[in-house]
Amino acid sequence: MAAFRAQRLFLAQPSSSPSTSTARPRRPRPRRSGAAPCRAALGVPSGLRTARDNTSLNLEWIDAPRVPASPSADVSLERLRAIAEAAADRAEMHDIIGKQRDNWNHLLLHSTNSLTLATSVMAALAPAAPAVVALKVSAGVLLASAAVTMAAVNKIQPSQLAEEQRNATRLWRELERDVRGKLALHAPTTRADVQEAMDRVLALDAAYPLPLLPGMLEKFPKAVEPARWWPRRRPAAQPKRSRSFGRRAVASGNGWTQDLEDDMRGILRVIKAKDEQEFLTVGKLVLNLNRGLAVAGPALAGTAAVATAFIGSGEAGAWASGAAVFGGALAAAVNTVEHGGQMGMLFELLRNCAGFYRKIQEDIEANLGEPDVERRERGEVFATKVALKLGRSLSDLKQFRKMASPSVRDEDIKEFAGKLF
């Protein structure tokens, strides 16, 4: 039973009862522009007490039942959150290690050059000094130490190590943004999404390892290959029915046309023939130059150390001092060119640029290789991504359409596809 019962519910009318209208004349009320509002009054008996908590209407019983989320979806979300946290942690670690190894490059460069030049001065002053034995022994030991230090530094290439960590930091942050963006969409998460993210994590770990020894990337490889930081694509099951385009451009439901396919094929051919090969060719030149400098520096310092042993010994003492000074000065110059010019960093930069274009190739091949256009990435979106990566506008991509023709030879292609690198 309700806390109170309504006694009278009536509408307040502007006119009174007929009995009172005869006794008192009614005043004419001024007319309003709008209609008079209808007011309702609720009469409550004086013997009843009202309570605020009793007058509230409880509507909990009409709430719609909540549909519980599937356990597999919750597990997938938690796994994606764990991957995002791991990516953020990896990015911070690579950033810290990259700064540390960049400091190694500067400190080892200046300390080795200072050591080599100081020993060259000692070798020059040794023949005229009273304590010639002490000077020549000190110069020999210091030059030998400089040669060993140069050999060790040339083996690890600190500038290249720092560049690896910088690239790794950028790519780990990109992975974190992608995963967190997928979580922010609140879209259904499947095991395939988790597996894709895990594959990217493992590929990044293999491409840019954290430890120095063992597991360091080869600094002087026999063959120059583009860097690879993305997982290899798994072959997808081919559908039974596939859609293909005719010779004329026809629009599909997924934004792909024959003209767009020709644009992508032309870009793919130009990247293979020009952009990637250009970076690999220059990378080979830089690698060979760096390999020669890495051998020449320690060899010159070692020769100067041997020459100091003959200082002050008869006729050979005159040329031995000059050889030690000349060898030490050349060793310092070679070391400056190699590590001051950061030849290792330059080689790694070229290798990563080649990998950048290799990834664009594989993305285009994966979309063009899918016979069902509905299973591809949306055409307009994919074209925009390719244009942004190449530093071009969408209209610029149309000029590569003619490159898809078999009549065009690779030697006839003069323009590069990318403008960023």
Side-chain angles (χ1 to χ4, degrees), residues 184-227:
L185 292 176
H186 300 288
T189 306
T190 61
R191 293 183 178 179
D193 299 329
V194 178
Q195 187 62 42
E196 179 185 359
M198 283 296 300
D199 291 341
R200 292 179 63 181
V201 168
L202 297 177
L204 276 175
D205 282 335
Y208 302 104
L210 277 170
L212 184 63
L213 292 173
M216 181 181 65
L217 295 179
E218 179 62 38
K219 298 301 180 288
F220 300 99
K222 296 181 180 179
V224 180
E225 295 291 338

Side-chain angles (χ1 to χ4, degrees), residues 15-230:
S15 59
S16 58
S17 61
S19 59
T20 57
S21 62
T22 57
R24 184 181 298 175
R26 182 178 59 182
R27 286 185 180 181
R29 295 185 178 181
R31 294 184 179 180
R32 300 179 181 177
S33 58
C38 180
R39 301 177 180 177
L42 182 63
V44 181
S46 58
L48 293 177
R49 295 181 179 179
T50 60
R52 294 184 180 180
D53 55 352
N54 293 334
T55 57
S56 62
L57 183 59
N58 189 3
L59 298 179
E60 294 179 356
W61 61 278
I62 63 173
D63 288 345
R66 297 181 179 179
V67 179
S70 61
S72 60
D74 292 340
V75 172
S76 300
L77 285 175
E78 292 299 326
R79 293 178 67 185
L80 280 181
R81 290 191 184 98
I83 293 173
E85 294 297 331
D89 187 53
R90 294 279 214 294
E92 186 176 358
M93 287 191 293
H94 281 282
D95 185 40
I96 294 172
I97 294 178
K99 293 177 181 177
Q100 179 196 45
R101 292 176 181 176
D102 188 51
N103 290 334
W104 285 2
N105 183 54
H106 294 288
L107 293 174
L108 291 172
L109 169 65
H110 296 308
S111 61
T112 305
N113 284 348
S114 301
L115 183 64
T116 307
L117 294 175
T119 53
S120 299
V121 173
M122 294 171 63
L125 297 176
V132 60
V133 177
L135 279 178
K136 76 175 187 178
V137 170
S138 300
V141 172
L142 292 178
L143 279 172
S145 301
V148 173
T149 304
M150 285 184 187
V153 174
N154 294 344
K155 177 65 176 178
I156 64 175
Q157 294 290 318
S159 64
Q160 187 171 349
L161 291 174
E163 181 65 19
E164 291 173 3
Q165 303 308 312
R166 283 192 288 265
N167 288 325
T169 302
R170 178 180 60 85
L171 294 170
W172 279 112
R173 287 173 179 168
E174 179 184 356
L175 175 59
E176 181 193 3
R177 287 195 302 269
D178 292 345
V179 175
R180 293 197 185 278
K182 188 172 294 185
L183 291 173
L185 292 176
H186 300 288
T189 306
T190 61
R191 293 183 178 179
D193 299 329
V194 178
Q195 187 62 42
E196 179 185 359
M198 283 296 300
D199 291 341
R200 292 179 63 181
V201 168
L202 297 177
L204 276 175
D205 282 335
Y208 302 104
L210 277 170
L212 184 63
L213 292 173
M216 181 181 65
L217 295 179
E218 179 62 38
K219 298 301 180 288
F220 300 99
K222 296 181 180 179
V224 180
E225 295 291 338
R228 186 180 188 88
W229 59 84
W230 63 96

Side-chain angles (χ1 to χ4, degrees), residues 154-326:
N154 294 344
K155 177 65 176 178
I156 64 175
Q157 294 290 318
S159 64
Q160 187 171 349
L161 291 174
E163 181 65 19
E164 291 173 3
Q165 303 308 312
R166 283 192 288 265
N167 288 325
T169 302
R170 178 180 60 85
L171 294 170
W172 279 112
R173 287 173 179 168
E174 179 184 356
L175 175 59
E176 181 193 3
R177 287 195 302 269
D178 292 345
V179 175
R180 293 197 185 278
K182 188 172 294 185
L183 291 173
L185 292 176
H186 300 288
T189 306
T190 61
R191 293 183 178 179
D193 299 329
V194 178
Q195 187 62 42
E196 179 185 359
M198 283 296 300
D199 291 341
R200 292 179 63 181
V201 168
L202 297 177
L204 276 175
D205 282 335
Y208 302 104
L210 277 170
L212 184 63
L213 292 173
M216 181 181 65
L217 295 179
E218 179 62 38
K219 298 301 180 288
F220 300 99
K222 296 181 180 179
V224 180
E225 295 291 338
R228 186 180 188 88
W229 59 84
W230 63 96
R232 299 187 181 276
R233 299 182 182 273
R234 299 178 180 179
Q238 297 294 335
K240 295 182 180 180
R241 295 182 179 181
S242 63
R243 297 178 57 181
S244 59
F245 296 109
R247 294 188 177 272
R248 300 184 59 85
V250 291
S252 73
N254 202 22
W256 283 89
T257 63
Q258 183 64 42
D259 289 340
L260 181 57
E261 286 192 356
D262 291 340
D263 295 343
M264 293 297 111
R265 289 191 178 95
I267 293 172
L268 180 63
R269 187 177 180 186
V270 173
I271 289 177
K272 285 183 177 180
K274 296 292 292 183
D275 296 78
E276 182 181 337
Q277 291 302 320
E278 182 73 13
F279 283 105
L280 292 179
T281 303
V282 178
K284 291 177 183 178
L285 294 176
V286 173
L287 178 63
N288 293 331
L289 177 60
N290 192 25
R291 185 183 283 115
L293 293 174
V295 174
L300 288 170
T303 304
V306 173
T308 57
F310 299 95
I311 296 177
S313 58
E315 296 180 358
W319 64 262
S321 177
V325 173
F326 187 69

